[in-house]
Amino acid sequence: TRDLQKMVFRHPGIWIIALSSAFIYITKYAIAGWGVLFLQKSRGFDLAEASQIIAFSAVFGILGTVLAGWLSDKVFKGDRVKPAVLSGIISTSSLILFLFVGGGFVLNIFYVSLFSLAVGVLYCIVAGLMAVDIVPRKATGAALGVVGISSYMAAGLQDITSGLLIQYNTVHVDGADIYDFGPVSWFWVVASVISFLLPVLNWK
């Protein structure tokens, strides 16, 4: 068992997947943690409306995880790369729409829901199915452990980085805080792109 665990730690594929999963967690928890503030300060929604929009994120994220296995096994016949690319493109596109295009209450619910659905699918395929595919069955626990630890570490680092980017791009004018979400938005978008390109380009 110890030899299997050592094999997992030496397997470059596991570290690529762990890194990819970390970037997925950056975008996933960015929207969950900072989405309400973004909608209030950048889009002018009140606290209740902003909270309702972001609440859809959790619901559709769960739905995405349920859909992932069925999509990969039934629709794509066991192919991991195609659903990873598809869900990655959808999640990144909807994130860009949410951060840079805007719109009304219903449109923002649509962006957030589509983003969370696609991220749920992507996470399950990358951090679950891909990770399990590349190691022996007895080593799956160790593989998922590495992926899980890196994901939660990234979620914590995201919170610190996003907080600093928001803080340093906020100016105080006439007694009010003026927020510039541009830098932090690009941080989230770049993380989203890396999250699906990293495992797809290195899958072989």
Side-chain angles (χ1 to χ4, degrees), residues 1-23:
T1 307
R2 189 166 290 180
D3 288 340
L4 279 171
Q5 288 174 341
K6 283 180 183 176
M7 185 273 290
V8 167
F9 284 112
R10 290 176 188 152
H11 198 311
I14 286 298
W15 291 106
I16 288 165
I17 285 168
L19 199 56
S20 167
S21 179
F23 281 106

Side-chain angles (χ1 to χ4, degrees), residues 111-126:
Y111 297 152
V112 165
S113 301
L114 189 62
F115 167 76
S116 299
L117 181 74
V119 162
V121 171
L122 183 63
Y123 180 73
C124 264
I125 288 167
V126 172

Side-chain angles (χ1 to χ4, degrees), residues 126-151:
V126 172
L129 302 175
M130 279 184 164
V132 169
D133 281 351
I134 63 173
V135 295
R137 185 163 288 184
K138 288 182 179 178
T140 53
L144 294 174
V146 170
V147 172
I149 289 166
S150 66
S151 301

